[in-house]
Every structure is written in C-alpha cells, then in structure tokens.
Amino acid sequence: MLKELRGSDVIIECLLEQGVDTVFGYPGGAVLNIYDSLYKYSDKIHHVITAHEQAACHAADGYSRTTGRTGVVIATSGPGATNLVTGIATAYMDSIPMVAITGNVTRDLLGLDSFQEVDICGITMPITKHNYIVKDPAELADIIREAFYIANEGRKGPVLIDIPKDITGALMVYEKKEPKKVVNHNPEGINEEIAAAAELIKNAEKPFIYAGGGVVSADATEEMAEFVRKVDAPVSLSLMGQCALDNTKDCYIGMLGMHGTKTAAMTLSECDLMIVLGSRFSDRVLCNAKTFAKDKKIIHIDIDPAEIGKNIDVYSHVTGDVKYILAKLCELLPDMKHEAWMNTVMDWKKQYALRMVPIESEDEVLPQDVIEELDRLTDGKAIISTEVGQHQMWAAQYYNFKCPRSFASSGGLGTMGYGFGAGMGAKVGNPDRTVVNIAGDGSFFMNCNELSSLAKHKIPLIELVFENDVLGMVRQWQRLFYGKRFSQTNIERGTDLMKLADAFGVEGIRITKKSEIKPMLEKVLKCGKPCLVDVIINKDINVLPMVPAGADVSQPIMNIELD
C-alpha cells in the first residue's frame, strides 16, 4: 500500500521492516526530524540515549554481538558523526553487523564548510563495508534496506547512511516491503573443497582445531560442537571465538597466541593437521608468521576469500559459509578416535594449568580468583563484555563460557572504552541475562560518564573495575622491553570510585581482600540495580603466558621477575 510520508517517518518504517525495536543514539540539529519521528513511534522503537555518541555506537555493537541482530546507532552531523568513527572501526575490524545513521546539513549547504558539516562518508570509507549519502528522496527507503542486507551478507560488518536534513523533512511515497533474505551463496566447487578437507581430516593422526569469531557470527556453534565430537581433537579458540564452544569441555585447551596457553602452543608444535575455522590469523595469534605452524598442514575455512593466504600460507582451504561447511564435513566424517594424542594433550593441560601467585599476602585479591568465582556463581552463563588490556586477557583466560554470543570484546582494533557501551547494549538486548563489563581503571576513566546512562535507564549492568592505578598492559611491556622505565603508565588519579558511584546514582561495592570476593560478588549479583564493583589489585600482577612480539608462538614467557 502506497502512502506519502516525511523522510524521517520513512526511516522509522524501514527500521520496523527490518525488525528493529531498539536503537542507540544522541540527538542534534541535523537529526531533529528523525528524533521527532522517534517520538511518534516510541511505542514501537525503544531509543537509548548515552552520555557520548561513541558509547552509543559501542552499545549498538554489543547489542549485535550478543543478540545476533543488527545494531543501529543514530548521531547528528559534524562532531556527532565523527564521534562514531572509533565505534564503527571497532565493528569493522571484528565483522559486526551494524547500521549507523548520521544526519548532515541540507543538500544546498553540502561542500560549503557549513556549521557542523563533515564528509563522514569520506572519513569512514576505509572502515565500513559500504556507505551512502542520500541525495534523492526517492532512494531513501531502498538505501536503508540495502544497508541492512550488506551489513549481514557474507563477511558481516558496519554500513553507514548519511542523510541530509532536508531529505528527512521531505515528503515522499513509501511502500512497505519484506526484507530481502540474506543467503550466503557458497562458491561453485565448494563441495569438492569440502570433500578434500574431509580426506585430510580422516588421515590425520594428531588433528588440532582452532576456531575464531566467524563461527559465532555464522551461528555455527552447534555444528562446531558436533564437528569437534566427530574429529576427537583438542580445540583452541581465538579471543573473538571465546564462546564458539563450551569452555568446560575437556578438549578445550585455551587461547593460542600472544597470551595463549602453553598447552595450545605445544599442541600446535606437535599436531600434524591444523583445522582453522572462521579466523583470520591475526598477528596476535601468529606472533611470527615465518615460524608459525612451520611444516604443518593447515586447512583454512573462512567466508572471506581475501583472508585465504593473506597472513600465512595454508595447505588447503574451503571458502564459504562455515555453518554449511561444518554440517557437510560432519556428514562426510566418521566418528574418529585419537586416544593417544588426546591423552598427551590432556597431560599438558594439567601440567601447564594457569595459576596466579600472590605477590604480597595470601589474602590479596587475584584477578583469577575474582573471575573464577564470578564464573562459578553465574555457572558460566553470564554475558561478559570487556575493555582492552590485562583484564581483557584475564576474562578470556579464566571465565568458562558455556553459551554462544556471551562475549563482547574489541579484538581487532583493541579499543579502550569499548566495553561499558557494549555491556549496556548487551543488557538492553538480553534483559533476562546477567551482564558484566570487566574493566581496568585505565579504560574505566575513558567512559565512566556512562554511569549516568546506567542510572538514567535503570540498566542493571555490573561494571567490575580492576583498580591498580596503572595502565597494566602497557606497564607490563615497559617492564619487559623498556628497562622498567614506566613512562606515563602510573595513572594514580586518586578518584574514590565509591564516591563516584554514589554521585552518579549507582550502587558501589569494593573488594579489597580475597576473603571478600565471594560474599561481595554474591551481593552484587543479587543487587538487581546498576552497580560499580571496585576490585583493588596489585599493580605488579601480569598477564601470563606472554609471547613477545615477533617471537615464536611456541616459546611463551611463563614468569616475569619483579623488582
């Protein structure tokens, strides 16, 4: 049915077509028409305003990662649009489907250095799958529909739509349409590639499975679990792939790479076939591309042909949808047994189990104890978001994820300030699940203003801050490689986080010793309100193991001598 609507109403109608019921954003002059329509449609679309546009973008990202739906963020022109850039780049690096809608000056003012005008399409071209500036009102609806399709087709990612203000105010004809179904068409010859991969797997005596975020993105975790069962092999997961497999399974041996486990490193060294699923071979995994899995047969399975052979040469590959590929492999493969190999790997797993050691006293708080207690109290079923730094690695090392889409962390861009917004988006999208953002105090001070967003919207997110008064990961590098010259990494701001929590109107809880960990976490998990947990830890606690940049991944540092 045809009807005449303002452009801003067309935008909202198109969002509803796509099943959108939640958007994140911040109003401003160039998007006043859109916000006027959001007011009219407030019974159909819930809008979450943050304290800063970057947090809104991260919230849309965290919403997408943990729900599997496309995140939507709205910002005004100029600084509103540029404040989205880091969030868009974060989503791009981690292949997260998101649609960013920005306003701009009216078409007659474009290119004149008008007030709050910026070429956001030019700025974001390298960090979006595609972007648009709408010049013709008749194209608005179809551009929005196409943006959602592109964001979700193939290797997923963010799309930006820049809309001049006069387009949002213009009258135009609108006709409702059903969304185009996303079908990842596998390339011709894929079944032959899958058959060849199956033969390699059948003939392997020491297979090793390594999976990344592509498995989660493709909703292929059930197929992965069946594949792991069939092959009977040890499994390592990338940072992005943390919830691709139940971490409590015996076959799971931890991460691989710079902060991976010694067990994963030894398994890589001794395997005869590495099966890589939905992972792009990041430099943080390879460490040294020239020595990584040298002389090993590698099967690389990924949806993006550009990733095949980009960072490392592989023996064989299958390019396509990992969900389809794993299902086909499971049809072709018999139930396999590698008892001797698995026993060897399990012995390594026991021998090289991770264990932090107290530095000053037996009752001091260790991040491992906090995260493992959080894991026990939530049965591994909470959604965990993180900032970037030592705490990020501790979360990946010590929380045993049992459910898919339970981890939101900036893997590729490494964005400090990401986790708080992402955690808010995750909680909005998953109101019945416990959501915890794990932060360091360095990252926390980049986004602590978002405590006001928690209080305003009554979002019961748990913000857990490891406070050590230093930029821990950078300081760790300074200790190892810069002669202990701790340049600008002792932050020591002197802020009382409990007073800060009170000022923002959220619950504040502090943990200062080991004996407080369980009772305080039990208290916060029962709180049901926005909560800031201040965990005081020693500044000299490091993330181990650690492979120095450019070193062989099989030779991690297992201990760091302190002063």
Side-chain angles (χ1 to χ4, degrees):
M1 179 181 176
L2 299 174
K3 53 183 175 181
E4 194 173 58
L5 297 175
R6 278 199 317 168
S8 57
D9 290 337
V10 169
I11 293 169
I12 306 303
E13 289 286 352
C14 288
L15 293 180
L16 292 172
E17 282 180 10
Q18 301 295 325
V20 174
D21 59 14
T22 302
V23 298
F24 304 86
Y26 204 100
V31 289
L32 278 173
N33 291 329
I34 298 174
Y35 274 82
D36 191 50
S37 292
L38 281 168
Y39 183 87
K40 292 189 296 184
Y41 285 81
S42 59
D43 61 328
K44 296 180 180 178
I45 292 188
H46 175 50
H47 180 279
V48 180
I49 184 173
T50 53
H52 191 283
E53 290 96 347
Q54 182 171 310
C57 200
H58 292 327
D61 175 310
Y63 177 93
S64 179
R65 292 190 202 222
T66 58
T67 65
R69 303 171 68 185
T70 307
V72 179
V73 62
I74 301 171
T76 193
S77 61
T82 57
N83 280 345
L84 299 183
V85 170
T86 297
I88 292 170
T90 299
Y92 181 76
M93 289 290 283
D94 290 346
S95 305
I96 306 303
M98 182 170 70
V99 172
I101 298 172
T102 55
N104 213 329
V105 298
T106 56
R107 284 173 290 173
D108 60 312
L109 294 178
L110 288 171
L112 301 179
D113 294 331
S114 303
F115 177 68
Q116 289 194 334
E117 180 198 359
V118 72
D119 178 13
I120 195 63
C121 285
I123 291 169
T124 60
M125 189 173 291
I127 55 168
T128 52
K129 279 191 74 177
H130 194 64
N131 62 29
Y132 304 84
I133 181 167
V134 183
K135 296 288 187 70
D136 184 348
E139 296 178 349
L140 177 61
D142 284 340
I143 283 175
I144 295 171
R145 293 163 182 145
E146 188 172 82
F148 275 85
Y149 182 83
I150 290 172
N152 288 281
E153 185 269 337
R155 182 174 180 172
K156 299 176 183 181
V159 178
L160 179 136
I161 310 169
D162 193 38
I163 311 175
K165 188 174 181 179
D166 58 320
I167 294 284
T168 65
L171 287 173
M172 58 196 72
V173 174
Y174 166 76
E175 181 180 11
K176 184 177 180 179
K177 293 184 179 180
E178 289 297 314
K180 181 181 177 183
K181 187 176 181 180
V182 175
V183 178
N184 289 319
H185 297 286
N186 289 305
E188 187 177 344
I190 188 172
N191 288 331
E192 288 80 1
E193 291 180 351
I194 293 172
E199 287 305 309
L200 285 172
I201 296 168
K202 286 178 187 176
N203 293 325
E205 295 181 359
K206 299 178 180 180
F208 173 34
I209 298 170
Y210 178 70
V215 174
V216 180
S217 179
D219 290 321
T221 53
E222 289 185 10
E223 289 81 1
M224 164 121 175
E226 175 62 10
F227 178 72
V228 169
R229 186 194 68 79
K230 282 237 171 189
V231 177
D232 187 36
V235 180
S236 178
L237 301 174
S238 73
L239 182 70
M240 289 294 299
Q242 274 307 289
C243 45
L245 185 76
D246 182 346
N247 292 180
T248 63
K249 289 185 176 293
D250 288 341
C251 63
Y252 181 60
I253 57 174
M255 290 193 298
L256 177 68
M258 181 171 284
H259 293 294
T261 64
K262 177 74 170 177
T263 302
M266 294 190 70
T267 302
L268 176 67
S269 296
E270 297 298 323
C271 74
D272 60 6
L273 178 68
M274 185 183 191
I275 308 159
V276 181
L277 309 170
S279 180
R280 62 185 179 86
F281 285 114
S282 159
D283 58 294
R284 289 298 173 103
V285 172
L286 296 178
C287 296
N288 186 327
K290 292 180 180 178
T291 62
F292 183 86
K294 192 172 177 62
D295 302 323
K296 306 292 182 185
K297 289 182 179 179
I298 300 175
I299 303 173
H300 191 185
I301 297 171
D302 201 274
I303 198 166
D304 187 355
E307 292 298 339
I308 306 299
K310 184 177 83 173
N311 294 334
I312 190 171
D313 292 331
V314 297
Y315 184 83
S316 177
H317 70 269
V318 186
T319 306
D321 179 10
V322 70
K323 186 179 181 75
Y324 172 84
I325 294 165
L326 285 174
K328 285 292 182 182
L329 283 171
C330 287
E331 290 177 8
L332 295 173
L333 292 171
D335 287 351
M336 306 168 71
K337 286 294 177 188
H338 301 102
E339 188 174 354
W341 170 233
M342 291 299 289
N343 286 341
T344 298
V345 175
M346 292 306 103
D347 286 344
W348 292 334
K349 186 176 178 178
K350 292 176 184 176
Q351 183 179 352
Y352 298 112
L354 301 178
R355 183 63 240 170
M356 286 183 175
V357 178
I359 295 173
E360 292 184 345
S361 73
E362 288 300 314
D363 199 34
E364 76 174 90
V365 178
L366 297 177
Q368 179 174 359
D369 293 332
V370 175
I371 295 170
E372 287 182 342
E373 188 61 45
L374 179 66
D375 175 43
R376 282 190 289 270
L377 292 173
T378 58
D379 192 28
K381 295 177 181 177
I383 293 173
I384 304 294
S385 63
T386 79
E387 307 295 343
V388 171
Q390 289 179 318
H391 60 276
Q392 179 188 33
M393 296 298 106
W394 293 328
Q397 287 176 331
Y398 300 120
Y399 194 89
N400 290 313
F401 296 94
K402 289 184 177 179
C403 306
R405 297 196 176 278
S406 295
F407 188 57
S409 190
S410 175
L413 197 63
T415 305
M416 292 177 69
Y418 165 81
F420 204 152
M424 283 195 292
K427 185 61 181 177
V428 169
N430 303 270
D432 297 328
R433 293 186 64 185
T434 298
V435 182
V436 182
N437 180 49
I438 297 178
D441 47 349
S443 291
F444 174 71
F445 281 108
M446 290 191 170
N447 55 29
C448 61
N449 53 332
E450 295 305 329
L451 288 170
S452 64
S453 301
L454 294 189
K456 170 182 171 54
H457 300 291
K458 296 180 173 59
I459 300 171
L461 173 71
I462 298 169
E463 173 76 0
L464 192 154
V465 180
F466 285 113
E467 184 178 3
N468 56 7
D469 281 332
V470 296
L471 301 178
M473 187 64 86
V474 185
R475 191 174 189 273
Q476 181 169 327
W477 279 64
Q478 289 172 335
R479 177 183 295 281
L480 286 169
F481 310 118
Y482 291 87
K484 302 178 184 177
R485 295 182 295 276
F486 300 126
S487 176
Q488 301 303 313
T489 50
N490 294 318
I491 52 179
E492 297 175 339
R493 289 188 171 90
T495 305
D496 186 330
L497 298 193
M498 294 299 93
K499 290 181 179 178
L500 189 69
D502 184 59
F504 275 110
V506 305
E507 294 289 317
I509 292 175
R510 179 170 281 145
I511 297 173
T512 61
K513 50 190 178 182
K514 185 175 182 178
S515 57
E516 294 175 341
I517 294 173
K518 184 177 180 180
M520 290 301 184
L521 287 181
E522 287 176 336
K523 180 179 179 180
V524 73
L525 288 168
K526 294 175 182 176
C527 177
K529 299 177 183 178
C531 192
L532 173 62
V533 184
D534 184 19
V535 183
I536 308 300
I537 64 170
N538 191 296
K539 67 180 182 294
D540 288 320
I541 298 174
N542 294 298
V543 176
L544 294 169
M546 178 182 180
V547 179
D552 191 303
V553 71
S554 66
Q555 299 297 322
I557 296 170
M558 301 300 290
N559 184 49
I560 297 175
E561 292 295 327
L562 303 177
D563 297 332

